[in-house]
Amino acid sequence: MSSSRVVIHSFESQVLKGNFLNDPSVRRVAVYLPPDYEESNRYPVVYLLAGFTGRGTMMLNESAWDENIQQRLDRLIMTNAIHPLIAVLPDCFTRYGGSQYINSVGTGRYMDHIVEELVPWADATFRTIPERERRAVAGKSSGGFGALTMGMRHPETFGEVACHSGDMYFELSYRQDFIAVLRSIHKFGGVGKFIETFRALHPKSGDFHPILNTIAMAACYSPNLDSAWGFDLPFDVETGEWNDAVWARWKEWDPIELIPQYGDALRSLQLLYIDCGARDEFNLQFGARTFGARLMRAGIAHRREEFEDGHFNVQYRFDVSLQAMSEVWSS
Amino acid sequence: MSSSRVVIHSFESQVLKGNFLNDPSVRRVAVYLPPDYEESNRYPVVYLLAGFTGRGTMMLNESAWDENIQQRLDRLIMTNAIHPLIAVLPDCFTRYGGSQYINSVGTGRYMDHIVEELVPWADATFRTIPERERRAVAGKSSGGFGALTMGMRHPETFGEVACHSGDMYFELSYRQDFIAVLRSIHKFGGVGKFIETFRALHPKSGDFHPILNTIAMAACYSPNLDSAWGFDLPFDVETGEWNDAVWARWKEWDPIELIPQYGDALRSLQLLYIDCGARDEFNLQFGARTFGARLMRAGIAHRREEFEDGHFNVQYRFDVSLQAMSEVWSS
Amino acid sequence: MSSSRVVIHSFESQVLKGNFLNDPSVRRVAVYLPPDYEESNRYPVVYLLAGFTGRGTMMLNESAWDENIQQRLDRLIMTNAIHPLIAVLPDCFTRYGGSQYINSVGTGRYMDHIVEELVPWADATFRTIPERERRAVAGKSSGGFGALTMGMRHPETFGEVACHSGDMYFELSYRQDFIAVLRSIHKFGGVGKFIETFRALHPKSGDFHPILNTIAMAACYSPNLDSAWGFDLPFDVETGEWNDAVWARWKEWDPIELIPQYGDALRSLQLLYIDCGARDEFNLQFGARTFGARLMRAGIAHRREEFEDGHFNVQYRFDVSLQAMSEVWSS
Amino acid sequence: MSSSRVVIHSFESQVLKGNFLNDPSVRRVAVYLPPDYEESNRYPVVYLLAGFTGRGTMMLNESAWDENIQQRLDRLIMTNAIHPLIAVLPDCFTRYGGSQYINSVGTGRYMDHIVEELVPWADATFRTIPERERRAVAGKSSGGFGALTMGMRHPETFGEVACHSGDMYFELSYRQDFIAVLRSIHKFGGVGKFIETFRALHPKSGDFHPILNTIAMAACYSPNLDSAWGFDLPFDVETGEWNDAVWARWKEWDPIELIPQYGDALRSLQLLYIDCGARDEFNLQFGARTFGARLMRAGIAHRREEFEDGHFNVQYRFDVSLQAMSEVWSS
């Protein structure tokens, strides 16, 4: 039996050219090819979306106690826990740490990059089964948000969706970051100074992360190319006074608000899998519960799990979602 | 010179009789009488409102590094920093830790208790100047909220208001407590069990305090005598799903929302003093800033300060507000 | 039945006169006299020692959910849970927050103040049973340390000792404070500046408390009147380098080291009660366990309990120790 | 100009065969070869030692905001900030997360593995300058400890040592982990159960890390093959009672204690570089200061820096130590 392989390809994106943040349009896309790949026929494919501050190739990083994605897929395939598959690991990183896998004038057209560029390329290059029913999208945290958002907006492309600890119920999750911004942005010299200097800052501690996350999300959800920073914030940085109009733009992306709008798409999925840790540090378990309750009320089939853990180091949850996909593909 | 005295009076309230929580209608009200009280003429009076889980008599507690209210007033009067005054320390404690000094069917008519009962009694019993211009109300935290609320609703009674670190901008302050409820209420056996058992619990740690605060505020702001607990919560205790209708009832009490409604009352005050610590643990500094910004826009005179401290052990700020009152009374 | 009374007496100490820290030699000593005191015969007496930053009168402070010492004793006596008793509440506070109830040239002769002054005075003034078998000493935290230390050094005076969450195993408890000193003392301008300014500082937050505690303990355990501050620290304030000689002076007061030296005294007690919370924030549970293990090995009778709580708000544990004393007195 | 390369070699160790923990004796050793490697003559070589829970290949992991070791060395060489060099990245990981790079019967002969196996192999395989004066060892945290320890015990092999945030002054650094063990080991079912189960545990949170670290250090410093776990702990797991004999074995490895013993070796180094973050979470700054103070007193030349950061994500400090080495090599 030949062993699995990871191919890293420099993909020259057209849709990312000239993006607002001047992020590179050439991206290193990693593709996992299962054991015995050459001799076999064709494989289902899963697009695995990295979380905030991540890119696909980082899923190949080694760590002390955990498998990287290649080791994980190898084990799952070798023990027949899952159907052999191809995995595509996109790079949708931005200057601010992530694109949420959406199209935004404030960042770039990352959703189009995946749907219009990577999917056709992968189908043309590797031995995929080029059908929506055998094409899944999965991710964790921002990647889970991306997977779910992709499933809502592109059901013609993806037949299975797995959202692990995905961003949702923004009011409970992002708002605590806003408070950190209000408390601490002056220590970094204000938003403009933060944007200029954050990459070289040492240490990146204190409220660095929630500030960066807020900026990154604003660039995704409420871009404003006429503004000083390229985006609007949903609150006044001095007083904290709320800006309903900006916040309304964010909520247009909050999955818990979007079931009426995308009900048909969600209903058409062969698998809609959602999970979250019961002690998620960003309160995403309440998002998952609320989303689940609303799916139930709308009569939309899905599978939801909650597990005893927090937000970090929960890659082992992919075992569950990949097996759920396999069951769909094998039935 | 005779020294100051504190008189503790058992006040038999009529308006608190039969209150929903079965809290006592007889209350120990402490009254501070300044040095040389007997010989003097008449004095302005300040109603000092304790914070959540406090009652007036607790302001007489001794502590290691700080003065109690008698020592503080003595020093301020003896050094001529403030005008000699009478201070009334009401007890508006409830079974859940506090009444916010408002009338609520879910707790009792605590605002009426002060305005309709304590004020006439104090004027009849002590050598006060029984005029609105010489009658102030001040407090910290829930007491600051109470003072401000009293000023809005009873400008005929109070001429000066001082709100220290007062509850406001509920969305930024109370919501973090709601998350604690969502995360931890099951450890206490649910809301009903918590209500039954919390007083005898040891230890009162973890998320005990934010849970209790949420329950107490709900009893004040969104009582519902037909419900299981006597109040409604603005979120689903399982999923965290938001309840806009209940939340709207809370916002009817949020000072930052009430300037249009009570603009005339606020404008009529001889002193409207607001301060907050720049590192308030409950994010109340953003409430104070937002309230201040809106007062400015409405053209309402006020004095606002921000100081380098958190929410706790900031009794020394009364020095500032009491001096501000004195200036008004002496001018 | 007449109700209980608390008498507060201004005691003019001779032994505290001219103490090194210039703390007052006149102290307000509170004495609890049980219900029906006048008519009764004579009572056993317990000396209750407050914790660090406390003095006896603070045990009379009111709080939201807990009894003060008068309410607690009233309830215990009225329900026949304990034998009626007199309680003496000394004031051994110092400029730095506490004396540990020992004699030190760096603070004052607080042990002598209790043993040589308060005990004879109380026996002469109140209807005590003036016998060592009916005279107990109890306390919490620094007060627990004081009670145990008193029992070791003055078994002729005290027949029962109760040590709640008492300071011991200094290596595990105080050393974490030393690290806080090392990390943060420069933010306060150094030790000398801290000593000059700490009382007026606002806020008293961050590492204020562990720094103060370290200074207070050094004044007690390793005074050095020839030094700049009046005491030596067991570590170099810059590098953290350990000073074995100074540390040896501290260990002369560590209860876990003193069983060989004071074995006879401990053995002579009618009651040696020790408890600690299993989650004590200062790691004192390990001190209690180690002390207990060493008592066992030395064959010294004692009663030890561990309870599910931390270091704070554990006054309810006095119920247990007071009942244990009562059993001794009633047998 | 040809670009740099990283070669990953499966090294079959003889000295690690049959090690007590059954860790693999075949190790993946990464070697960095600088740009233009083929055409050049010979290069100095630095052995870079990973921290606890790390191995050499993890230094190649990608991250959001930082360079991996290849990118870092490329930049430093390309900008002429450092002399072109070869870097060897050993794998001295163990079942418990790390070997401290020492020989221990409780783990394996990791120091010998480097000195007796990797050094001769690297000199035979790559274009190194095979002289002690051109052979450096550097690392961070446990790797910094390893580098310093290596320099003390093998000055014939290494001429330059760089210790970043290295383990030392065990009393201040490891003892806080011991307290975590005492507090929490029962939640994991005891030490034996922890050892059996920790690798598969989810989540690895709470006191997981300090417990693991304590076990790993005990396996290194106080192995005992006749004991239940293969090592002794310096304290009683129940009471916390101290074990001086075991602790003495640990201190035999504490750099701050070893200057008298290894003074000649340290004096012989061409570079002895030490740094630490001023806010190191493990208190290692006090170790570095104490070590520095003692080097001064012993008249041993060294370079010491302290920087404004904590313990984590401080790889950028290698820029400083690598430049210091380069200066030595260029002089």
Side-chain angles (χ1 to χ4, degrees):
Chain A
M1 191 186 202
S2 77
S3 62
S4 74
R5 269 186 306 141
V6 169
V7 180
I8 298 187
H9 179 78
S10 278
F11 188 96
E12 202 168 329
S13 167
Q14 298 306 313
V15 308
L16 296 181
K17 271 198 181 131
N19 67 73
F20 181 69
L21 294 176
N22 284 320
D23 285 309
S25 60
V26 178
R27 298 286 174 139
R28 293 169 70 239
V29 181
V31 179
Y32 170 88
L33 304 173
D36 287 335
Y37 172 69
E38 306 299 345
E39 298 121 72
S40 158
N41 286 331
R42 290 192 163 268
Y43 300 90
V45 59
V46 60
Y47 289 76
L48 293 176
L49 310 185
F52 187 60
T53 75
R55 49 168 73 94
T57 49
M58 286 189 208
M59 293 192 198
L60 300 165
N61 282 351
E62 286 184 37
S63 74
W65 312 116
D66 212 353
E67 303 161 315
N68 71 8
I69 193 67
Q70 183 174 17
Q71 295 165 324
R72 181 175 305 280
L73 291 172
D74 282 356
R75 172 180 52 78
L76 290 169
I77 291 171
M78 246 98 95
T79 59
N80 293 313
I82 65 167
H83 196 290
L85 52 69
I86 291 168
V88 178
L89 281 55
D91 171 10
C92 296
F93 194 75
T94 72
R95 173 190 166 79
Y96 295 143
S99 63
Q100 297 296 92
Y101 303 94
I102 68 172
N103 296 338
S104 165
V105 296
T107 57
R109 291 167 47 208
Y110 289 90
M111 179 171 282
D112 290 350
H113 166 58
I114 290 178
V115 173
E116 298 176 10
E117 294 187 326
L118 290 189
V119 169
W121 166 78
D123 286 345
T125 310
F126 304 102
R127 304 181 58 78
T128 63
I129 305 171
E131 296 164 8
R132 170 266 187 193
E133 283 76 17
R134 293 295 178 270
R135 194 182 296 113
V137 59
K140 190 225 137 187
S141 197
S142 285
F145 169 87
L148 189 52
T149 300
M150 213 76 86
M152 287 177 173
R153 280 163 174 85
H154 289 287
E156 80 293 347
T157 302
F158 300 103
E160 296 84 23
V161 165
C163 168
H164 297 286
S165 307
D167 294 20
M168 53 180 84
Y169 203 158
F170 294 173
E171 220 129 14
L172 287 193
S173 50
Y174 294 147
R175 204 186 282 246
Q176 67 186 21
D177 289 343
F178 301 165
I179 291 173
V181 175
L182 286 166
R183 291 185 165 276
S184 301
I185 189 66
H186 63 95
K187 297 181 200 162
F188 294 90
V191 173
K193 189 74 183 295
F194 184 93
I195 288 173
E196 277 170 47
T197 58
F198 78 93
R199 280 184 298 192
L201 275 185
H202 289 297
K204 292 182 166 58
S205 60
D207 283 326
F208 178 91
H209 191 86
I211 292 173
L212 180 65
N213 195 63
T214 300
I215 288 171
M217 295 306 114
C220 294
Y221 302 140
S222 52
N224 177 354
L225 304 193
D226 299 330
S227 69
W229 309 320
F231 55 81
D232 292 327
L233 290 174
F235 54 88
D236 184 291
V237 183
E238 275 310 311
T239 62
E241 212 171 345
W242 203 240
N243 186 322
D244 278 319
V246 175
W247 186 239
R249 296 182 65 195
W250 287 52
K251 290 181 97 167
E252 284 170 22
W253 291 98
D254 188 342
I256 67 164
E257 308 291 352
L258 301 179
I259 293 173
Q261 194 175 344
Y262 294 106
D264 290 346
L266 292 169
R267 232 177 292 267
S268 79
L269 296 173
Q270 300 196 109
L271 174 71
L272 174 54
Y273 176 92
I274 299 144
D275 72 15
C276 194
R279 287 176 275 150
D280 190 281
E281 286 84 352
F282 303 103
N283 306 317
L284 297 169
Q285 69 275 42
F286 307 115
R289 290 181 198 167
T290 295
F291 190 67
R294 293 182 180 181
L295 287 175
M296 297 262 281
R297 282 183 228 141
I300 296 173
H302 65 285
R303 177 168 162 192
R304 188 170 75 81
E305 299 194 359
E306 198 162 300
F307 52 94
E308 278 306 314
D309 208 332
H311 191 76
F312 301 101
N313 300 314
V314 295
Q315 303 87 321
Y316 62 93
R317 297 299 305 177
F318 279 116
D319 288 23
V320 183
S321 61
L322 290 167
Q323 290 179 59
M325 285 170 202
S326 274
E327 285 160 25
V328 170
W329 295 330
S330 305
S331 65
Chain B
M1 190 186 204
S2 76
S3 61
S4 72
R5 270 187 308 141
V6 169
V7 179
I8 297 186
H9 179 79
S10 277
F11 188 96
E12 202 167 330
S13 167
Q14 299 306 313
V15 309
L16 295 182
K17 268 196 185 135
N19 67 74
F20 181 70
L21 294 177
N22 284 319
D23 284 309
S25 59
V26 178
R27 299 287 174 140
R28 293 169 69 240
V29 181
V31 179
Y32 170 90
L33 302 174
D36 287 335
Y37 172 70
E38 307 298 347
E39 299 118 75
S40 159
N41 286 330
R42 291 194 163 266
Y43 300 90
V45 60
V46 59
Y47 289 77
L48 293 175
L49 310 184
F52 186 62
T53 74
R55 50 168 71 94
T57 48
M58 286 189 207
M59 292 192 201
L60 300 165
N61 282 351
E62 286 183 37
S63 74
W65 313 116
D66 213 354
E67 304 161 315
N68 71 8
I69 193 68
Q70 183 174 17
Q71 296 165 323
R72 181 176 305 283
L73 291 172
D74 282 355
R75 174 181 50 78
L76 290 170
I77 291 170
M78 246 98 96
T79 59
N80 295 312
I82 65 169
H83 196 289
L85 49 70
I86 292 169
V88 179
L89 282 54
D91 170 10
C92 296
F93 194 75
T94 71
R95 173 189 165 79
Y96 295 143
S99 64
Q100 299 295 92
Y101 303 93
I102 68 173
N103 296 338
S104 165
V105 296
T107 57
R109 289 168 48 208
Y110 288 90
M111 179 172 282
D112 289 351
H113 166 58
I114 291 177
V115 173
E116 298 176 10
E117 294 188 324
L118 291 188
V119 169
W121 166 78
D123 285 345
T125 310
F126 304 102
R127 304 181 58 77
T128 64
I129 306 171
E131 297 164 8
R132 162 285 176 185
E133 284 73 19
R134 294 295 178 269
R135 194 182 296 112
V137 60
K140 190 225 137 189
S141 197
S142 285
F145 168 88
L148 188 53
T149 299
M150 215 76 87
M152 287 177 175
R153 280 162 174 85
H154 289 287
E156 81 292 347
T157 303
F158 299 103
E160 298 82 24
V161 165
C163 168
H164 298 285
S165 308
D167 294 20
M168 54 179 84
Y169 203 159
F170 294 173
E171 219 129 15
L172 287 194
S173 51
Y174 294 146
R175 202 186 284 247
Q176 67 187 20
D177 289 343
F178 301 165
I179 291 173
V181 176
L182 286 166
R183 291 184 164 278
S184 301
I185 190 65
H186 62 94
K187 296 180 200 161
F188 294 90
V191 173
K193 189 73 183 296
F194 183 93
I195 288 173
E196 278 170 45
T197 59
F198 78 93
R199 280 184 296 194
L201 273 185
H202 288 299
K204 291 182 168 56
S205 60
D207 283 326
F208 178 91
H209 191 87
I211 291 173
L212 180 66
N213 195 63
T214 299
I215 287 170
M217 296 305 114
C220 294
Y221 303 140
S222 51
N224 177 354
L225 304 193
D226 299 329
S227 68
W229 310 318
F231 53 83
D232 292 327
L233 290 174
F235 53 90
D236 183 291
V237 183
E238 276 307 312
T239 62
E241 213 170 345
W242 202 240
N243 186 322
D244 277 318
V246 176
W247 187 238
R249 297 181 65 195
W250 287 52
K251 290 182 94 166
E252 283 169 22
W253 291 98
D254 188 342
I256 67 165
E257 308 291 352
L258 302 179
I259 295 174
Q261 194 175 343
Y262 294 105
D264 289 346
L266 292 169
R267 232 178 293 267
S268 80
L269 296 173
Q270 299 195 110
L271 174 71
L272 174 54
Y273 175 92
I274 299 143
D275 71 14
C276 195
R279 286 175 277 151
D280 189 281
E281 286 84 352
F282 302 103
N283 306 317
L284 296 169
Q285 70 275 44
F286 307 115
R289 290 181 198 167
T290 294
F291 190 67
R294 292 181 181 181
L295 286 176
M296 296 264 281
R297 282 185 227 139
I300 295 171
H302 65 285
R303 177 168 161 191
R304 188 170 74 80
E305 299 195 0
E306 198 163 300
F307 52 93
E308 279 306 314
D309 208 332
H311 191 75
F312 301 102
N313 300 314
V314 295
Q315 303 87 320
Y316 61 94
R317 298 299 305 178
F318 278 116
D319 288 24
V320 183
S321 61
L322 290 167
Q323 290 180 59
M325 285 169 201
S326 273
E327 285 161 27
V328 170
W329 295 330
S330 307
S331 65
Chain C
M1 190 185 202
S2 76
S3 62
S4 72
R5 268 186 308 141
V6 169
V7 179
I8 297 186
H9 179 78
S10 277
F11 188 96
E12 200 167 331
S13 167
Q14 299 305 314
V15 309
L16 294 181
K17 268 197 184 133
N19 68 73
F20 181 70
L21 295 176
N22 285 319
D23 284 309
S25 59
V26 178
R27 299 287 174 139
R28 294 169 70 239
V29 180
V31 179
Y32 170 89
L33 302 173
D36 285 335
Y37 172 70
E38 307 300 347
E39 299 117 76
S40 161
N41 286 330
R42 291 193 162 267
Y43 300 89
V45 61
V46 60
Y47 289 75
L48 293 176
L49 310 184
F52 186 62
T53 74
R55 50 169 71 94
T57 49
M58 287 190 207
M59 294 192 199
L60 300 165
N61 281 352
E62 286 184 38
S63 74
W65 313 116
D66 213 354
E67 303 161 314
N68 70 8
I69 193 69
Q70 183 174 16
Q71 295 165 322
R72 181 176 305 283
L73 291 172
D74 282 355
R75 174 180 51 79
L76 289 169
I77 291 169
M78 245 99 96
T79 59
N80 294 313
I82 66 168
H83 195 289
L85 51 71
I86 292 169
V88 179
L89 283 52
D91 171 10
C92 296
F93 194 74
T94 72
R95 173 188 165 79
Y96 295 143
S99 64
Q100 299 294 93
Y101 303 94
I102 68 173
N103 296 337
S104 164
V105 296
T107 57
R109 289 168 47 209
Y110 289 90
M111 179 171 282
D112 290 351
H113 166 57
I114 291 178
V115 173
E116 298 176 9
E117 294 188 324
L118 291 188
V119 169
W121 166 79
D123 285 345
T125 310
F126 304 101
R127 305 181 57 77
T128 64
I129 306 171
E131 298 163 9
R132 155 296 172 182
E133 284 73 18
R134 293 296 177 269
R135 195 182 295 114
V137 60
K140 190 224 138 187
S141 196
S142 286
F145 168 87
L148 188 53
T149 299
M150 213 76 87
M152 287 177 174
R153 280 161 175 87
H154 289 289
E156 81 292 347
T157 303
F158 299 102
E160 298 83 23
V161 165
C163 168
H164 297 285
S165 309
D167 294 18
M168 54 179 83
Y169 204 159
F170 294 173
E171 219 129 14
L172 288 193
S173 51
Y174 294 147
R175 202 186 284 248
Q176 68 187 20
D177 288 343
F178 300 165
I179 291 173
V181 176
L182 286 166
R183 290 185 165 278
S184 302
I185 189 65
H186 63 94
K187 296 180 200 163
F188 294 89
V191 173
K193 189 74 182 295
F194 184 93
I195 287 173
E196 277 170 47
T197 58
F198 78 92
R199 281 183 297 193
L201 273 185
H202 289 298
K204 290 182 169 55
S205 60
D207 284 325
F208 177 91
H209 191 87
I211 291 173
L212 181 65
N213 195 64
T214 299
I215 287 170
M217 295 306 115
C220 293
Y221 302 140
S222 51
N224 177 354
L225 304 193
D226 299 330
S227 68
W229 309 319
F231 54 81
D232 292 326
L233 291 174
F235 54 88
D236 184 291
V237 183
E238 276 308 312
T239 62
E241 211 170 346
W242 202 242
N243 186 322
D244 277 318
V246 176
W247 186 239
R249 296 181 65 195
W250 288 51
K251 290 182 95 166
E252 283 170 23
W253 291 99
D254 188 342
I256 67 164
E257 307 291 352
L258 301 179
I259 294 173
Q261 195 176 342
Y262 293 106
D264 289 346
L266 292 169
R267 232 176 294 266
S268 80
L269 297 173
Q270 297 196 112
L271 174 71
L272 173 53
Y273 176 92
I274 299 143
D275 71 14
C276 194
R279 286 176 277 150
D280 190 280
E281 286 83 353
F282 302 104
N283 305 316
L284 297 169
Q285 69 275 45
F286 307 115
R289 290 180 198 168
T290 294
F291 190 67
R294 292 182 181 180
L295 287 176
M296 297 263 280
R297 281 183 229 141
I300 296 172
H302 64 286
R303 178 168 160 191
R304 189 170 74 80
E305 298 194 1
E306 197 163 300
F307 51 95
E308 280 306 314
D309 206 333
H311 191 76
F312 301 102
N313 300 314
V314 295
Q315 303 87 320
Y316 61 94
R317 296 300 305 178
F318 279 115
D319 288 23
V320 183
S321 61
L322 291 167
Q323 290 180 59
M325 285 169 202
S326 273
E327 286 160 26
V328 169
W329 295 329
S330 307
S331 65
Chain D
M1 192 187 201
S2 76
S3 62
S4 73
R5 270 185 308 142
V6 169
V7 180
I8 298 188
H9 179 78
S10 278
F11 188 96
E12 201 167 331
S13 167
Q14 299 306 312
V15 308
L16 295 181
K17 269 196 182 133
N19 67 74
F20 181 70
L21 295 176
N22 283 320
D23 284 309
S25 59
V26 179
R27 299 287 174 138
R28 292 169 71 239
V29 181
V31 179
Y32 170 88
L33 304 173
D36 287 335
Y37 172 69
E38 306 299 346
E39 297 120 71
S40 157
N41 287 330
R42 291 193 162 267
Y43 300 90
V45 60
V46 60
Y47 289 75
L48 293 176
L49 310 184
F52 186 61
T53 75
R55 50 168 72 95
T57 48
M58 286 188 207
M59 293 192 199
L60 300 165
N61 282 352
E62 285 183 38
S63 74
W65 312 116
D66 212 354
E67 302 161 315
N68 70 9
I69 193 67
Q70 183 174 16
Q71 295 165 324
R72 181 175 306 280
L73 291 172
D74 282 357
R75 173 180 51 79
L76 290 170
I77 291 171
M78 246 98 96
T79 59
N80 294 312
I82 65 167
H83 196 290
L85 52 70
I86 291 168
V88 178
L89 282 54
D91 170 10
C92 296
F93 194 75
T94 71
R95 174 189 164 78
Y96 295 143
S99 64
Q100 297 295 92
Y101 304 94
I102 68 172
N103 295 338
S104 165
V105 297
T107 56
R109 291 168 46 209
Y110 288 90
M111 179 172 282
D112 290 351
H113 166 56
I114 291 178
V115 173
E116 298 177 10
E117 294 188 325
L118 290 189
V119 169
W121 166 78
D123 285 345
T125 310
F126 304 102
R127 304 182 57 78
T128 64
I129 305 172
E131 296 164 9
R132 162 285 177 187
E133 283 75 17
R134 294 296 176 269
R135 194 183 294 113
V137 60
K140 190 225 136 186
S141 198
S142 285
F145 168 87
L148 189 52
T149 299
M150 214 75 88
M152 286 177 173
R153 280 162 174 86
H154 289 288
E156 80 293 347
T157 302
F158 299 103
E160 297 83 23
V161 165
C163 168
H164 298 285
S165 307
D167 294 21
M168 54 180 84
Y169 204 157
F170 294 172
E171 220 130 15
L172 288 193
S173 49
Y174 294 147
R175 203 185 283 246
Q176 67 187 22
D177 288 344
F178 300 165
I179 291 172
V181 175
L182 286 166
R183 291 184 164 277
S184 302
I185 190 66
H186 62 95
K187 296 181 200 161
F188 293 91
V191 174
K193 189 74 184 294
F194 184 93
I195 287 173
E196 276 170 46
T197 58
F198 78 92
R199 280 184 296 192
L201 275 185
H202 289 298
K204 291 182 167 60
S205 60
D207 283 326
F208 178 92
H209 192 87
I211 292 173
L212 181 65
N213 195 62
T214 299
I215 288 170
M217 296 305 115
C220 293
Y221 302 141
S222 52
N224 177 354
L225 304 193
D226 298 331
S227 68
W229 309 320
F231 54 81
D232 292 327
L233 291 174
F235 53 90
D236 184 291
V237 184
E238 275 309 311
T239 62
E241 212 171 345
W242 202 239
N243 186 321
D244 278 319
V246 175
W247 186 239
R249 296 181 66 195
W250 287 52
K251 289 183 96 167
E252 284 169 23
W253 292 98
D254 188 342
I256 67 164
E257 307 291 352
L258 301 179
I259 295 173
Q261 194 175 344
Y262 294 106
D264 290 346
L266 292 169
R267 232 177 292 269
S268 81
L269 296 173
Q270 299 197 110
L271 174 70
L272 173 53
Y273 176 93
I274 299 144
D275 71 15
C276 194
R279 286 176 277 150
D280 190 281
E281 285 85 352
F282 303 103
N283 306 317
L284 296 169
Q285 69 275 43
F286 307 116
R289 290 181 198 167
T290 294
F291 190 68
R294 293 182 180 181
L295 287 175
M296 296 264 280
R297 283 183 227 142
I300 295 172
H302 65 285
R303 178 169 161 190
R304 188 169 74 81
E305 298 194 359
E306 199 163 300
F307 52 94
E308 279 306 313
D309 207 333
H311 191 75
F312 301 102
N313 300 315
V314 294
Q315 303 87 320
Y316 62 94
R317 297 298 306 176
F318 279 115
D319 288 23
V320 183
S321 60
L322 291 167
Q323 290 180 58
M325 285 170 201
S326 274
E327 284 161 26
V328 170
W329 295 331
S330 305
S331 65

